Amino acid sequence: MVSLPKSFALGEDWLTASVAIAIANGDLQLTLSKKTRTKVSESWEIVRNIVDKGQPVYGINTGFGPLCTTKISKAETKILQNNILQSHSVGVGEPIDKEIAKLMLILKAHSLAKGFSGISETTLERIIWHIEHNAIPLVPSQGSVGASGDLAPLSHLFLPLIGLGRLEYKGEILTTDELFEKTDLQPLELGPKEGLALINGTQFIAAHAIKVVEKMHSCLSQADIIGAMMIEGLQGSIKPFYNELHALRPYKGNVHVAKRIKRLLKGSEIMEAHAFCERVQDPYSLRCIPQVHGASRNAWLHLKELLEIELNSVTDNPIIIDDELTISGGSFHGQPLAMALDYACLAASEIGNISDRRIYLALEGNSPGVPKLLMQDTGINSGYMILQYTTAALASENKGLCYPSSADSIPTSLGQEDHVSMGSISGRKALQVLENVEKILAIELLTAAQAFEFRKPLKSGILLDEVHKAVREKVPFAAKDRVFSDDIAIGIEMIKDKTIIKTIEKTKKEKKISFKTPFSNEFEVF
């Protein structure tokens, strides 16, 4: 993460995942410069001129999809735009998270503010009002095929502009009529092309990708920390993390992870106590952490880089270049993000997969001093045995979710849209996998902390010692069986709240410890 400015100029400033999240959280004020307003107005005027001239241009004075050859009269162009919002509002399923819906509004406002969509300044300002007043439309989670953009979810998102749909406002679910009564707003009268500009685009996919980038970054960071704790608890070797090894196969992610793990283990009495033991090498789940975590970090980086391009692009259709050139193209197609999200989904699943393997390894009792099932008095007690059943179930569920949605395409629009991305499913699925990974990491955190106890009175290095203390403040050592689901619930909350990341950051600052690697700017900033 980087320090943020106080405001964000829509259509001009560079949007990133963290900036979008800051806007959604109310930490950044949105602005529209005079230059942007002029560009938007010029584009809007070009559309009006097209209608006046009567020359057919897709979506402005023609029907949509397979109806693109049906010419629409000047008098009917406004009706057409209202009708498209209504007819395309066909989403089903539970509403998406309010934050994701708000991110969709932010992303659409930024794209429209670039001035290539033919939107009016009035419509753009109404979208900004919804963002600033936290009046967030309810958007069903299912129904988009990811080309011609996210038609169904975006239609639901913008129904309130014309007085339809439902919203969440000040903690209540309201109809748009009820919102208008509370705020004295009136429905907008959409002009030519405005309805199409609102619902064409990849904002549903991109908003999900923002949350994938944020949540996956957290999981990757915590997986390194917890993995390092497990290395100490099970007396793993530090040699697989040496710079000399990774210089010979210098994938960015591998190098970054190896340096982080090595720094986490620095100064550990536990590691020094077995530096000259007879064990030759560790199982892969310990030894190959840089290779596995690193590969997942490389996938994360790929998604982050593509997402930033998407966030700062114009993805509706047609595009108004100038008064001489209007292009009907395919920039609404979600394939670029769909494939990257499927890649990230697989990469996230693997973090959970190797975490489950480390948990299983900790239960085997093959590390000197660490009892089987992480408990001394077993037989009457089952110890941590069944916690691994849960991680096995979660890891297996994730494997099933890894089938790439972008590998599928079902033609729509009577064959006019004969290849679609299914990127909306890629994004939703990736978030499902990450939520499961958070649960797996929570159980590994509890398991690693339990194994850690059996190394006393030896101490870890300052960083992991503080992490262990943070765990013990919330979850006590287990000398006998108890209702472990209560512990797991606390562990999940710690993972979601990034407790151990915050502990590392606080300790680094207090002790003036550098945690940087040559690739920190790429992997730690989004």
Side-chain angles (χ1 to χ4, degrees):
M1 301 288 284
V2 292
S3 58
L4 296 168
K6 292 182 180 179
S7 64
F8 181 85
L10 284 168
E12 295 183 63
D13 288 345
W14 186 254
L15 189 60
T16 65
S18 62
V19 169
I21 291 166
I23 295 169
N25 290 340
D27 298 328
L28 270 180
Q29 181 182 357
L30 295 176
T31 63
L32 279 175
S33 71
K34 183 178 179 181
K35 177 183 174 183
T36 295
R37 290 179 183 274
T38 300
K39 178 68 175 167
V40 168
S41 296
E42 287 173 351
S43 180
W44 166 237
E45 194 61 37
I46 290 170
V47 169
R48 296 178 71 181
N49 289 337
I50 289 170
V51 173
D52 288 339
K53 291 176 182 177
Q55 183 178 352
V57 176
Y58 174 74
I60 295 177
N61 50 16
T62 75
F64 308 114
L67 303 175
C68 60
T69 57
T70 303
K71 192 171 180 181
I72 306 298
S73 70
K74 180 178 178 180
E76 292 175 323
T77 53
K78 292 181 180 179
I79 299 172
L80 177 69
Q81 302 308 313
N82 269 34
N83 282 353
I84 192 175
L85 282 180
Q86 295 180 71
S87 66
H88 286 52
S89 296
V90 294
V92 295
E94 291 297 312
I96 61 174
D97 186 82
K98 180 183 177 182
E99 183 186 10
I100 296 178
K102 189 173 184 180
L103 286 169
M104 289 175 68
L105 289 170
I106 293 163
L107 304 191
K108 179 57 82 172
H110 186 49
S111 178
L112 296 174
K114 291 185 177 292
F116 293 95
S117 301
I119 202 87
S120 70
E121 193 175 329
T122 300
T123 300
L124 182 55
E125 285 177 338
R126 178 63 65 86
I127 296 171
I128 295 169
W129 183 93
H130 277 273
I131 296 166
E132 292 179 340
H133 290 81
N134 222 28
I136 310 303
L138 298 188
V139 178
S141 55
Q142 296 169 294
S144 172
V145 296
S148 305
D150 296 308
L151 294 172
L154 284 167
S155 297
H156 285 277
L157 188 73
F158 292 117
L159 278 177
L161 299 189
I162 60 172
L164 302 173
R166 295 190 302 155
L167 315 90
E168 184 175 337
Y169 180 64
K170 295 185 176 180
E172 292 183 274
I173 303 298
L174 305 174
T175 65
T176 302
D177 282 341
E178 290 169 333
L179 175 75
F180 286 175
E181 287 175 11
K182 290 177 178 287
T183 59
D184 293 327
L185 291 175
Q186 296 294 324
L188 298 180
E189 186 177 293
L190 297 180
K193 177 97 171 28
E194 288 200 279
L196 187 60
L198 291 169
I199 73 169
N200 253 188
T202 59
Q203 284 75 35
F204 182 91
I205 301 172
H208 279 78
I210 286 173
K211 293 304 294 180
V212 170
V213 164
E214 179 195 37
K215 195 178 285 282
M216 189 170 173
H217 181 268
S218 171
C219 286
L220 288 165
S221 294
Q222 295 188 78
D224 289 349
I225 298 165
I226 298 166
M229 286 184 71
M230 197 65 93
I231 290 167
E232 286 205 306
L234 303 183
Q235 289 191 327
S237 173
I238 198 171
K239 284 187 177 180
F241 307 93
Y242 278 13
N243 299 337
E244 292 85 347
L245 175 66
H246 295 283
L248 301 177
R249 197 190 187 201
Y251 289 107
K252 290 180 181 180
N254 300 31
V255 172
H256 186 67
V257 170
K259 285 183 177 290
R260 279 169 54 84
I261 299 285
K262 195 162 179 284
R263 186 62 193 83
L264 285 163
L265 297 174
K266 187 175 180 180
S268 168
E269 293 178 1
I270 299 170
M271 298 301 292
E272 290 170 6
H274 66 91
F276 303 103
C277 67
E278 295 180 357
R279 192 190 304 184
V280 177
Q281 59 184 17
D282 299 321
Y284 289 178
S285 60
L286 298 181
R287 196 188 344 155
C288 299
I289 287 176
Q291 290 77 16
V292 179
H293 289 198
S296 292
R297 280 188 177 267
N298 290 332
W300 176 88
L301 182 60
H302 181 60
L303 176 61
K304 182 193 83 163
E305 291 172 345
L306 293 184
L307 176 61
E308 286 194 16
I309 294 172
E310 193 77 1
L311 296 182
N312 296 282
S313 297
V314 179
T315 60
D316 64 287
N317 181 61
I319 302 300
I320 314 299
I321 303 299
D322 54 38
D323 53 7
E324 298 294 330
L325 181 61
T326 299
I327 301 175
S328 180
S331 291
F332 48 67
H333 201 294
Q335 195 79 347
L337 284 187
M339 294 176 70
L341 281 164
D342 284 333
Y343 179 23
C345 182
L346 172 62
S349 179
E350 280 303 289
I351 292 299
N353 199 2
I354 195 171
S355 175
D356 168 72
R357 293 297 82 215
R358 288 193 293 264
I359 294 166
Y360 189 93
L361 188 67
L363 302 181
E364 288 184 317
N366 292 334
S367 181
V370 177
K372 189 178 291 186
L373 303 177
L374 296 174
M375 202 171 281
Q376 295 284 11
D377 188 12
T378 50
I380 189 172
N381 292 298
S382 296
Y384 278 61
M385 181 199 304
I386 309 300
L387 279 75
Q388 190 268 328
Y389 283 45
T390 300
T391 61
L394 292 165
S396 181
E397 182 176 315
N398 280 351
K399 292 172 189 176
L401 290 167
C402 280
Y403 181 84
S405 298
S406 58
D408 185 32
S409 176
I410 298 175
T412 57
S413 197
L414 303 184
Q416 179 76 2
E417 296 160 14
D418 55 357
H419 182 281
V420 298
S421 75
M422 302 298 181
S424 61
I425 305 169
S426 303
R428 288 172 43 232
K429 202 153 54 65
L431 280 179
Q432 278 184 271
V433 166
L434 282 163
E435 286 167 7
N436 286 340
V437 170
E438 288 177 333
K439 295 166 187 171
I440 295 170
L441 289 174
I443 292 174
E444 189 188 0
L445 178 62
L446 301 178
T447 309
Q450 185 78 359
F452 223 61
E453 295 280 353
F454 297 104
R455 297 299 167 207
K456 290 181 177 180
L458 296 175
K459 287 188 175 182
S460 174
I462 181 62
L463 293 170
L464 293 184
D465 213 37
E466 290 300 315
V467 169
H468 188 253
K469 287 177 187 175
V471 176
R472 284 292 169 253
E473 285 175 6
K474 301 196 176 197
V475 182
F477 173 75
K480 60 181 181 179
D481 286 350
R482 59 185 182 228
V483 180
F484 284 116
S485 64
D486 294 340
D487 294 1
I488 294 170
I490 295 169
I492 292 169
E493 186 56 37
M494 291 180 74
I495 294 293
K496 288 182 177 293
D497 188 49
K498 304 178 186 178
T499 300
I500 63 175
I501 293 177
K502 292 173 184 175
T503 300
I504 293 286
E505 291 301 319
K506 180 183 177 186
T507 308
K508 277 167 49 185
K509 188 174 182 181
E510 289 175 352
K511 303 296 181 181
K512 297 181 179 178
I513 297 170
S514 174
F515 215 54
K516 286 189 175 181
T517 81
F519 305 112
S520 288
N521 287 340
E522 292 172 85
F523 287 115
E524 302 307 328
V525 176
F526 61 88

